[in-house]
Amino acid sequence: MKKTILLTGFAPFGGEQINPSWQAVQQLQGWQADDETEVQAIELPCIFGQSLEKLQQALQQFNPVLVIAVGQAGGRTAISLEKVAINYQDARIADNAGNQPLGEPVIAGAPTAYFSSLPLKAIVQDLRQQGIPAEISYSAGTFVCNHVFYGLMHTVATSPKVRAGFIHIPYLPAQAARLGGPASMTTELVVKALKQVMQLSLLQQPDILLAEGTLD
Ligand code: PCA
Protein backbone atom coordinates (compact mmCIF):
# COMPACT_ATOMS: atom_id res chain seq x y z
CA MET A 1 0.00 0.00 0.00
CA LYS A 2 1.19 3.50 -0.82
CA LYS A 3 2.15 5.95 1.92
CA THR A 4 0.12 9.14 2.09
CA ILE A 5 1.07 12.79 2.08
CA LEU A 6 -1.89 14.75 3.38
CA LEU A 7 -2.16 18.18 1.78
CA THR A 8 -4.84 20.63 2.86
CA GLY A 9 -6.11 23.92 1.43
CA PHE A 10 -8.84 26.27 2.66
CA ALA A 11 -12.23 27.43 1.43
CA PRO A 12 -12.52 31.12 0.46
CA PHE A 13 -13.07 33.57 3.35
CA GLY A 14 -13.24 37.29 4.11
CA GLY A 15 -15.44 38.07 1.09
CA GLU A 16 -13.15 36.40 -1.48
CA GLN A 17 -14.64 34.02 -4.09
CA ILE A 18 -11.55 31.89 -4.32
CA ASN A 19 -8.76 30.71 -2.01
CA PRO A 20 -5.39 30.25 -3.75
CA SER A 21 -4.46 27.50 -1.29
CA TRP A 22 -7.23 25.15 -2.47
CA GLN A 23 -6.65 26.14 -6.11
CA ALA A 24 -3.10 24.83 -5.81
CA VAL A 25 -3.67 21.90 -3.44
CA GLN A 26 -6.51 20.35 -5.46
CA GLN A 27 -4.20 20.09 -8.47
CA LEU A 28 -1.93 17.82 -6.48
CA GLN A 29 -4.53 15.14 -5.65
CA GLY A 30 -2.96 11.79 -6.56
CA TRP A 31 0.48 13.26 -7.29
CA GLN A 32 3.30 10.84 -6.48
CA ALA A 33 6.29 12.36 -4.73
CA ASP A 34 8.13 9.06 -5.29
CA ASP A 35 7.21 5.46 -6.18
CA GLU A 36 5.59 4.74 -2.88
CA THR A 37 4.10 8.03 -1.72
CA GLU A 38 0.90 9.65 -2.97
CA VAL A 39 -0.93 12.89 -2.16
CA GLN A 40 -4.40 13.06 -0.66
CA ALA A 41 -5.77 16.59 -1.03
CA ILE A 42 -8.60 17.91 1.15
CA GLU A 43 -10.30 21.27 1.49
CA LEU A 44 -10.85 22.59 5.02
CA PRO A 45 -13.67 25.01 5.88
CA CYS A 46 -12.50 28.41 7.11
CA ILE A 47 -14.26 27.78 10.42
CA PHE A 48 -12.75 27.45 13.90
CA GLY A 49 -13.34 23.94 15.25
CA GLN A 50 -14.81 22.37 12.07
CA SER A 51 -11.54 22.87 10.16
CA LEU A 52 -9.60 21.01 12.83
CA GLU A 53 -12.23 18.25 13.11
CA LYS A 54 -12.03 17.60 9.37
CA LEU A 55 -8.23 17.52 9.56
CA GLN A 56 -8.32 15.07 12.51
CA GLN A 57 -10.64 12.77 10.56
CA ALA A 58 -8.27 12.80 7.59
CA LEU A 59 -5.29 12.07 9.87
CA GLN A 60 -7.13 9.03 11.23
CA GLN A 61 -8.28 7.86 7.81
CA PHE A 62 -5.01 8.23 5.89
CA ASN A 63 -2.36 7.85 8.59
CA PRO A 64 -0.02 10.12 6.58
CA VAL A 65 3.78 10.23 6.79
CA LEU A 66 3.80 13.93 5.96
CA VAL A 67 1.16 16.64 6.45
CA ILE A 68 1.34 20.06 4.87
CA ALA A 69 -1.45 22.55 5.46
CA VAL A 70 -1.63 25.54 3.12
CA GLY A 71 -3.50 28.82 3.51
CA GLN A 72 -3.84 32.25 1.94
CA ALA A 73 -1.99 35.17 3.53
CA GLY A 74 -2.99 38.19 1.45
CA GLY A 75 -0.15 40.70 1.25
CA ARG A 76 2.69 38.21 1.74
CA THR A 77 5.20 38.48 -1.07
CA ALA A 78 6.61 34.94 -1.08
CA ILE A 79 5.97 31.30 -0.24
CA SER A 80 5.92 31.75 3.53
CA LEU A 81 7.10 28.73 5.51
CA GLU A 82 5.63 29.01 8.99
CA LYS A 83 7.97 28.15 11.86
CA VAL A 84 5.69 28.56 14.91
CA ALA A 85 2.12 27.58 15.80
CA ILE A 86 0.83 29.32 18.95
CA ASN A 87 -1.85 28.21 21.39
CA TYR A 88 -3.81 31.43 20.98
CA GLN A 89 -6.65 32.57 18.75
CA ASP A 90 -7.83 36.13 18.37
CA ALA A 91 -9.99 36.71 15.31
CA ARG A 92 -9.99 40.20 13.76
CA ILE A 93 -12.87 39.09 11.49
CA ALA A 94 -15.53 36.41 11.93
CA ASP A 95 -14.91 33.02 10.31
CA ASN A 96 -17.29 31.58 7.68
CA ALA A 97 -19.73 30.46 10.41
CA GLY A 98 -19.72 33.78 12.28
CA ASN A 99 -17.37 32.64 15.07
CA GLN A 100 -14.98 35.25 16.38
CA PRO A 101 -12.93 33.93 19.32
CA LEU A 102 -11.18 36.76 21.13
CA GLY A 103 -7.99 35.87 22.96
CA GLU A 104 -8.60 32.18 23.70
CA PRO A 105 -6.33 29.15 23.70
CA VAL A 106 -6.70 26.80 20.72
CA ILE A 107 -6.51 23.86 23.15
CA ALA A 108 -6.87 24.69 26.86
CA GLY A 109 -3.96 23.46 28.97
CA ALA A 110 -1.80 22.47 25.97
CA PRO A 111 1.74 23.83 25.41
CA THR A 112 2.19 27.49 24.43
CA ALA A 113 3.64 26.74 20.99
CA TYR A 114 4.98 24.12 18.60
CA PHE A 115 7.57 24.38 15.84
CA SER A 116 7.04 23.07 12.32
CA SER A 117 8.90 19.79 11.76
CA LEU A 118 9.58 20.51 8.07
CA PRO A 119 13.20 21.26 7.05
CA LEU A 120 12.43 24.95 6.52
CA LYS A 121 15.93 26.21 5.77
CA ALA A 122 16.58 23.51 3.20
CA ILE A 123 13.23 24.32 1.60
CA VAL A 124 13.83 28.09 1.51
CA GLN A 125 17.24 27.61 -0.08
CA ASP A 126 15.92 25.14 -2.66
CA LEU A 127 12.90 27.26 -3.66
CA ARG A 128 15.08 30.34 -4.13
CA GLN A 129 17.44 28.32 -6.30
CA GLN A 130 14.42 27.32 -8.42
CA GLY A 131 13.54 30.98 -8.87
CA ILE A 132 10.58 30.93 -6.46
CA PRO A 133 10.42 33.69 -3.81
CA ALA A 134 10.42 32.03 -0.36
CA GLU A 135 10.84 33.06 3.27
CA ILE A 136 10.58 31.67 6.78
CA SER A 137 7.80 33.35 8.77
CA TYR A 138 7.68 33.49 12.56
CA SER A 139 3.96 34.13 12.88
CA ALA A 140 1.07 32.31 11.23
CA GLY A 141 -1.31 34.90 12.71
CA THR A 142 -4.09 34.22 15.22
CA PHE A 143 -6.93 33.21 12.87
CA VAL A 144 -8.06 29.86 11.42
CA CYS A 145 -4.70 29.03 9.79
CA ASN A 146 -2.84 29.20 13.10
CA HIS A 147 -5.74 27.27 14.70
CA VAL A 148 -5.29 24.41 12.20
CA PHE A 149 -1.47 24.59 12.34
CA TYR A 150 -1.51 24.42 16.16
CA GLY A 151 -4.04 21.57 16.26
CA LEU A 152 -2.05 19.67 13.66
CA MET A 153 1.25 20.00 15.52
CA HIS A 154 -0.41 19.10 18.85
CA THR A 155 -1.86 15.95 17.30
CA VAL A 156 1.33 14.76 15.61
CA ALA A 157 3.47 15.63 18.67
CA THR A 158 2.85 12.07 19.85
CA SER A 159 3.88 10.60 16.44
CA PRO A 160 7.51 11.70 16.03
CA LYS A 161 7.88 9.98 12.65
CA VAL A 162 5.21 12.17 11.06
CA ARG A 163 6.50 15.45 9.69
CA ALA A 164 4.10 18.35 9.54
CA GLY A 165 3.95 22.06 8.90
CA PHE A 166 2.08 25.02 7.51
CA ILE A 167 2.68 27.22 4.48
CA HIS A 168 1.07 30.57 3.76
CA ILE A 169 0.90 31.70 0.14
CA PRO A 170 0.24 35.11 -1.49
CA TYR A 171 -2.90 36.18 -3.36
CA LEU A 172 -3.54 34.95 -6.88
CA PRO A 173 -2.86 37.55 -9.61
CA ALA A 174 -6.63 37.95 -10.23
CA GLN A 175 -7.26 38.74 -6.54
CA ALA A 176 -4.34 41.17 -6.44
CA ALA A 177 -5.56 42.93 -9.59
CA ARG A 178 -8.97 43.50 -8.02
CA LEU A 179 -7.39 44.76 -4.79
CA GLY A 180 -5.16 47.29 -6.50
CA GLY A 181 -1.93 45.42 -6.78
CA PRO A 182 -0.55 43.65 -3.69
CA ALA A 183 1.96 40.86 -4.31
CA SER A 184 0.66 37.71 -5.98
CA MET A 185 1.76 34.31 -7.22
CA THR A 186 0.28 32.03 -9.88
CA THR A 187 -1.18 28.64 -9.01
CA GLU A 188 1.34 27.09 -11.40
CA LEU A 189 4.25 28.46 -9.37
CA VAL A 190 2.66 27.51 -6.04
CA VAL A 191 2.12 23.94 -7.31
CA LYS A 192 5.76 23.77 -8.39
CA ALA A 193 6.83 25.03 -4.95
CA LEU A 194 4.61 22.53 -3.10
CA LYS A 195 6.11 19.64 -5.07
CA GLN A 196 9.59 20.75 -4.01
CA VAL A 197 8.43 21.15 -0.41
CA MET A 198 7.03 17.62 -0.35
CA GLN A 199 10.09 16.02 -1.91
CA LEU A 200 12.50 17.80 0.43
CA SER A 201 10.36 17.07 3.46
CA LEU A 202 10.47 13.35 2.68
CA LEU A 203 14.25 13.38 2.13
CA GLN A 204 15.95 16.10 4.14
CA GLN A 205 16.56 15.20 7.75
CA PRO A 206 17.67 17.04 9.78
CA ASP A 207 17.48 20.58 8.43
CA ILE A 208 20.55 22.31 6.98
CA LEU A 209 22.44 25.21 8.59
CA LEU A 210 21.71 28.45 6.77
CA ALA A 211 21.83 32.03 8.06
CA GLU A 212 18.16 33.05 8.14
CA GLY A 213 16.11 34.51 10.94
CA THR A 214 15.10 38.11 11.44
CA LEU A 215 16.85 40.93 13.30
CA ASP A 216 13.67 42.58 14.52
N1 PCA B 1 -6.06 31.98 5.47
C1 PCA B 1 -6.59 32.33 6.77
C2 PCA B 1 -7.58 31.26 7.10
C3 PCA B 1 -7.82 30.51 5.84
C4 PCA B 1 -6.78 30.98 4.91
O1 PCA B 1 -6.56 30.51 3.78
C5 PCA B 1 -5.51 32.54 7.82
O2 PCA B 1 -4.38 32.91 7.46
O3 PCA B 1 -5.77 32.34 9.00
Side-chain angles (χ1 to χ4, degrees), residues 192-213:
K192 184 176 170 190
L194 291 176
K195 287 179 177 172
Q196 289 296 123
V197 171
M198 288 187 271
Q199 271 167 337
L200 276 169
S201 300
L202 290 173
L203 292 176
Q204 182 75 44
Q205 199 166 13
D207 203 354
I208 59 168
L209 288 180
L210 177 73
E212 271 298 316

PDB file of all heavy atoms in Angstrom, residues 192-213:
ATOM      1  N   LYS A 192       4.358  24.143  -8.227  1.00  0.00           N
ATOM      2  CA  LYS A 192       5.764  23.767  -8.388  1.00  0.00           C
ATOM      3  C   LYS A 192       6.487  23.826  -7.025  1.00  0.00           C
ATOM      4  O   LYS A 192       7.249  22.917  -6.664  1.00  0.00           O
ATOM      5  CB  LYS A 192       6.433  24.724  -9.389  1.00  0.00           C
ATOM      6  CG  LYS A 192       7.864  24.373  -9.710  1.00  0.00           C
ATOM      7  CD  LYS A 192       8.436  25.297 -10.789  1.00  0.00           C
ATOM      8  CE  LYS A 192       9.947  25.066 -10.893  1.00  0.00           C
ATOM      9  NZ  LYS A 192      10.637  26.039 -11.718  1.00  0.00           N
ATOM     10  N   ALA A 193       6.204  24.886  -6.269  1.00  0.00           N
ATOM     11  CA  ALA A 193       6.831  25.031  -4.947  1.00  0.00           C
ATOM     12  C   ALA A 193       6.398  23.905  -4.009  1.00  0.00           C
ATOM     13  O   ALA A 193       7.231  23.323  -3.294  1.00  0.00           O
ATOM     14  CB  ALA A 193       6.459  26.388  -4.351  1.00  0.00           C
ATOM     15  N   LEU A 194       5.103  23.578  -4.026  1.00  0.00           N
ATOM     16  CA  LEU A 194       4.614  22.534  -3.105  1.00  0.00           C
ATOM     17  C   LEU A 194       5.234  21.176  -3.426  1.00  0.00           C
ATOM     18  O   LEU A 194       5.523  20.386  -2.521  1.00  0.00           O
ATOM     19  CB  LEU A 194       3.080  22.463  -3.132  1.00  0.00           C
ATOM     20  CG  LEU A 194       2.357  23.673  -2.530  1.00  0.00           C
ATOM     21  CD1 LEU A 194       0.844  23.532  -2.691  1.00  0.00           C
ATOM     22  CD2 LEU A 194       2.706  23.849  -1.050  1.00  0.00           C
ATOM     23  N   LYS A 195       5.449  20.909  -4.701  1.00  0.00           N
ATOM     24  CA  LYS A 195       6.112  19.642  -5.075  1.00  0.00           C
ATOM     25  C   LYS A 195       7.515  19.581  -4.473  1.00  0.00           C
ATOM     26  O   LYS A 195       7.931  18.557  -3.919  1.00  0.00           O
ATOM     27  CB  LYS A 195       6.179  19.506  -6.599  1.00  0.00           C
ATOM     28  CG  LYS A 195       4.832  19.187  -7.237  1.00  0.00           C
ATOM     29  CD  LYS A 195       4.982  19.084  -8.746  1.00  0.00           C
ATOM     30  CE  LYS A 195       3.657  18.694  -9.397  1.00  0.00           C
ATOM     31  NZ  LYS A 195       3.725  18.764 -10.862  1.00  0.00           N
ATOM     32  N   GLN A 196       8.233  20.698  -4.577  1.00  0.00           N
ATOM     33  CA  GLN A 196       9.586  20.750  -4.006  1.00  0.00           C
ATOM     34  C   GLN A 196       9.536  20.569  -2.492  1.00  0.00           C
ATOM     35  O   GLN A 196      10.354  19.856  -1.911  1.00  0.00           O
ATOM     36  CB  GLN A 196      10.238  22.109  -4.320  1.00  0.00           C
ATOM     37  CG  GLN A 196      10.605  22.309  -5.753  1.00  0.00           C
ATOM     38  CD  GLN A 196      11.684  21.324  -6.201  1.00  0.00           C
ATOM     39  OE1 GLN A 196      11.474  20.576  -7.148  1.00  0.00           O
ATOM     40  NE2 GLN A 196      12.812  21.303  -5.523  1.00  0.00           N
ATOM     41  N   VAL A 197       8.565  21.243  -1.865  1.00  0.00           N
ATOM     42  CA  VAL A 197       8.434  21.152  -0.407  1.00  0.00           C
ATOM     43  C   VAL A 197       8.204  19.696   0.008  1.00  0.00           C
ATOM     44  O   VAL A 197       8.826  19.195   0.950  1.00  0.00           O
ATOM     45  CB  VAL A 197       7.267  22.039   0.096  1.00  0.00           C
ATOM     46  CG1 VAL A 197       6.986  21.771   1.572  1.00  0.00           C
ATOM     47  CG2 VAL A 197       7.557  23.511  -0.133  1.00  0.00           C
ATOM     48  N   MET A 198       7.331  19.011  -0.716  1.00  0.00           N
ATOM     49  CA  MET A 198       7.026  17.618  -0.346  1.00  0.00           C
ATOM     50  C   MET A 198       8.247  16.735  -0.528  1.00  0.00           C
ATOM     51  O   MET A 198       8.584  15.930   0.350  1.00  0.00           O
ATOM     52  CB  MET A 198       5.850  17.103  -1.182  1.00  0.00           C
ATOM     53  CG  MET A 198       4.538  17.731  -0.775  1.00  0.00           C
ATOM     54  SD  MET A 198       3.121  16.986  -1.602  1.00  0.00           S
ATOM     55  CE  MET A 198       3.017  17.963  -3.076  1.00  0.00           C
ATOM     56  N   GLN A 199       8.934  16.893  -1.663  1.00  0.00           N
ATOM     57  CA  GLN A 199      10.088  16.023  -1.906  1.00  0.00           C
ATOM     58  C   GLN A 199      11.187  16.253  -0.868  1.00  0.00           C
ATOM     59  O   GLN A 199      11.740  15.300  -0.321  1.00  0.00           O
ATOM     60  CB  GLN A 199      10.599  16.201  -3.330  1.00  0.00           C
ATOM     61  CG  GLN A 199       9.854  15.231  -4.231  1.00  0.00           C
ATOM     62  CD  GLN A 199      10.009  15.479  -5.706  1.00  0.00           C
ATOM     63  OE1 GLN A 199      10.324  16.592  -6.125  1.00  0.00           O
ATOM     64  NE2 GLN A 199       9.766  14.470  -6.493  1.00  0.00           N
ATOM     65  N   LEU A 200      11.459  17.504  -0.577  1.00  0.00           N
ATOM     66  CA  LEU A 200      12.504  17.797   0.426  1.00  0.00           C
ATOM     67  C   LEU A 200      12.092  17.332   1.813  1.00  0.00           C
ATOM     68  O   LEU A 200      12.927  16.852   2.585  1.00  0.00           O
ATOM     69  CB  LEU A 200      12.796  19.295   0.457  1.00  0.00           C
ATOM     70  CG  LEU A 200      13.781  19.761  -0.594  1.00  0.00           C
ATOM     71  CD1 LEU A 200      13.792  21.275  -0.654  1.00  0.00           C
ATOM     72  CD2 LEU A 200      15.183  19.258  -0.273  1.00  0.00           C
ATOM     73  N   SER A 201      10.821  17.465   2.126  1.00  0.00           N
ATOM     74  CA  SER A 201      10.359  17.070   3.464  1.00  0.00           C
ATOM     75  C   SER A 201      10.446  15.561   3.653  1.00  0.00           C
ATOM     76  O   SER A 201      10.607  15.085   4.776  1.00  0.00           O
ATOM     77  CB  SER A 201       8.924  17.542   3.699  1.00  0.00           C
ATOM     78  OG  SER A 201       8.856  18.945   3.594  1.00  0.00           O
ATOM     79  N   LEU A 202      10.335  14.813   2.562  1.00  0.00           N
ATOM     80  CA  LEU A 202      10.474  13.354   2.676  1.00  0.00           C
ATOM     81  C   LEU A 202      11.939  12.962   2.816  1.00  0.00           C
ATOM     82  O   LEU A 202      12.273  11.983   3.474  1.00  0.00           O
ATOM     83  CB  LEU A 202       9.881  12.656   1.445  1.00  0.00           C
ATOM     84  CG  LEU A 202       8.358  12.703   1.301  1.00  0.00           C
ATOM     85  CD1 LEU A 202       7.944  12.131  -0.044  1.00  0.00           C
ATOM     86  CD2 LEU A 202       7.674  11.946   2.430  1.00  0.00           C
ATOM     87  N   LEU A 203      12.838  13.761   2.195  1.00  0.00           N
ATOM     88  CA  LEU A 203      14.253  13.384   2.128  1.00  0.00           C
ATOM     89  C   LEU A 203      15.121  14.008   3.200  1.00  0.00           C
ATOM     90  O   LEU A 203      15.945  13.343   3.823  1.00  0.00           O
ATOM     91  CB  LEU A 203      14.830  13.832   0.767  1.00  0.00           C
ATOM     92  CG  LEU A 203      14.325  13.109  -0.461  1.00  0.00           C
ATOM     93  CD1 LEU A 203      14.930  13.748  -1.698  1.00  0.00           C
ATOM     94  CD2 LEU A 203      14.675  11.628  -0.396  1.00  0.00           C
ATOM     95  N   GLN A 204      14.972  15.328   3.363  1.00  0.00           N
ATOM     96  CA  GLN A 204      15.947  16.098   4.138  1.00  0.00           C
ATOM     97  C   GLN A 204      15.727  15.941   5.641  1.00  0.00           C
ATOM     98  O   GLN A 204      14.714  16.360   6.169  1.00  0.00           O
ATOM     99  CB  GLN A 204      15.818  17.572   3.762  1.00  0.00           C
ATOM    100  CG  GLN A 204      16.797  18.490   4.436  1.00  0.00           C
ATOM    101  CD  GLN A 204      18.201  18.375   3.860  1.00  0.00           C
ATOM    102  OE1 GLN A 204      18.360  18.332   2.659  1.00  0.00           O
ATOM    103  NE2 GLN A 204      19.204  18.290   4.722  1.00  0.00           N
ATOM    104  N   GLN A 205      16.697  15.355   6.304  1.00  0.00           N
ATOM    105  CA  GLN A 205      16.560  15.203   7.746  1.00  0.00           C
ATOM    106  C   GLN A 205      17.940  15.052   8.362  1.00  0.00           C
ATOM    107  O   GLN A 205      18.654  14.135   7.958  1.00  0.00           O
ATOM    108  CB  GLN A 205      15.730  13.967   8.059  1.00  0.00           C
ATOM    109  CG  GLN A 205      15.160  13.981   9.428  1.00  0.00           C
ATOM    110  CD  GLN A 205      14.075  12.923   9.596  1.00  0.00           C
ATOM    111  OE1 GLN A 205      13.936  12.037   8.765  1.00  0.00           O
ATOM    112  NE2 GLN A 205      13.332  13.012  10.655  1.00  0.00           N
ATOM    113  N   PRO A 206      18.378  15.867   9.268  1.00  0.00           N
ATOM    114  CA  PRO A 206      17.669  17.043   9.780  1.00  0.00           C
ATOM    115  C   PRO A 206      17.809  18.215   8.819  1.00  0.00           C
ATOM    116  O   PRO A 206      18.312  18.045   7.711  1.00  0.00           O
ATOM    117  CB  PRO A 206      18.395  17.317  11.100  1.00  0.00           C
ATOM    118  CG  PRO A 206      19.801  16.869  10.830  1.00  0.00           C
ATOM    119  CD  PRO A 206      19.692  15.691   9.904  1.00  0.00           C
ATOM    120  N   ASP A 207      17.405  19.386   9.269  1.00  0.00           N
ATOM    121  CA  ASP A 207      17.484  20.577   8.426  1.00  0.00           C
ATOM    122  C   ASP A 207      18.949  20.981   8.222  1.00  0.00           C
ATOM    123  O   ASP A 207      19.834  20.543   8.960  1.00  0.00           O
ATOM    124  CB  ASP A 207      16.709  21.724   9.099  1.00  0.00           C
ATOM    125  CG  ASP A 207      16.249  22.790   8.109  1.00  0.00           C
ATOM    126  OD1 ASP A 207      16.620  22.703   6.919  1.00  0.00           O
ATOM    127  OD2 ASP A 207      15.519  23.700   8.525  1.00  0.00           O
ATOM    128  N   ILE A 208      19.199  21.820   7.226  1.00  0.00           N
ATOM    129  CA  ILE A 208      20.555  22.312   6.984  1.00  0.00           C
ATOM    130  C   ILE A 208      20.831  23.537   7.870  1.00  0.00           C
ATOM    131  O   ILE A 208      19.917  24.104   8.470  1.00  0.00           O
ATOM    132  CB  ILE A 208      20.749  22.718   5.499  1.00  0.00           C
ATOM    133  CG1 ILE A 208      19.746  23.807   5.100  1.00  0.00           C
ATOM    134  CG2 ILE A 208      20.595  21.495   4.605  1.00  0.00           C
ATOM    135  CD1 ILE A 208      20.055  24.461   3.762  1.00  0.00           C
ATOM    136  N   LEU A 209      22.096  23.949   7.925  1.00  0.00           N
ATOM    137  CA  LEU A 209      22.439  25.210   8.591  1.00  0.00           C
ATOM    138  C   LEU A 209      22.467  26.289   7.519  1.00  0.00           C
ATOM    139  O   LEU A 209      23.123  26.142   6.499  1.00  0.00           O
ATOM    140  CB  LEU A 209      23.823  25.113   9.246  1.00  0.00           C
ATOM    141  CG  LEU A 209      23.917  24.249  10.496  1.00  0.00           C
ATOM    142  CD1 LEU A 209      25.345  24.248  11.017  1.00  0.00           C
ATOM    143  CD2 LEU A 209      22.959  24.737  11.570  1.00  0.00           C
ATOM    144  N   LEU A 210      21.760  27.369   7.741  1.00  0.00           N
ATOM    145  CA  LEU A 210      21.707  28.455   6.772  1.00  0.00           C
ATOM    146  C   LEU A 210      21.380  29.707   7.572  1.00  0.00           C
ATOM    147  O   LEU A 210      20.526  29.664   8.459  1.00  0.00           O
ATOM    148  CB  LEU A 210      20.580  28.171   5.752  1.00  0.00           C
ATOM    149  CG  LEU A 210      20.296  29.205   4.680  1.00  0.00           C
ATOM    150  CD1 LEU A 210      21.401  29.207   3.624  1.00  0.00           C
ATOM    151  CD2 LEU A 210      18.949  28.894   3.994  1.00  0.00           C
ATOM    152  N   ALA A 211      22.109  30.804   7.298  1.00  0.00           N
ATOM    153  CA  ALA A 211      21.834  32.027   8.056  1.00  0.00           C
ATOM    154  C   ALA A 211      20.502  32.597   7.592  1.00  0.00           C
ATOM    155  O   ALA A 211      20.384  33.104   6.478  1.00  0.00           O
ATOM    156  CB  ALA A 211      22.954  33.042   7.839  1.00  0.00           C
ATOM    157  N   GLU A 212      19.487  32.482   8.419  1.00  0.00           N
ATOM    158  CA  GLU A 212      18.158  33.048   8.136  1.00  0.00           C
ATOM    159  C   GLU A 212      17.762  33.863   9.352  1.00  0.00           C
ATOM    160  O   GLU A 212      18.589  34.558   9.922  1.00  0.00           O
ATOM    161  CB  GLU A 212      17.166  31.931   7.837  1.00  0.00           C
ATOM    162  CG  GLU A 212      17.097  31.520   6.360  1.00  0.00           C
ATOM    163  CD  GLU A 212      16.634  32.633   5.455  1.00  0.00           C
ATOM    164  OE1 GLU A 212      15.675  33.332   5.800  1.00  0.00           O
ATOM    165  OE2 GLU A 212      17.237  32.829   4.397  1.00  0.00           O
ATOM    166  N   GLY A 213      16.543  33.772   9.762  1.00  0.00           N
ATOM    167  CA  GLY A 213      16.107  34.511  10.943  1.00  0.00           C
ATOM    168  C   GLY A 213      15.891  35.965  10.642  1.00  0.00           C
ATOM    169  O   GLY A 213      16.167  36.439   9.526  1.00  0.00           O
TER     170      GLY A 213
END
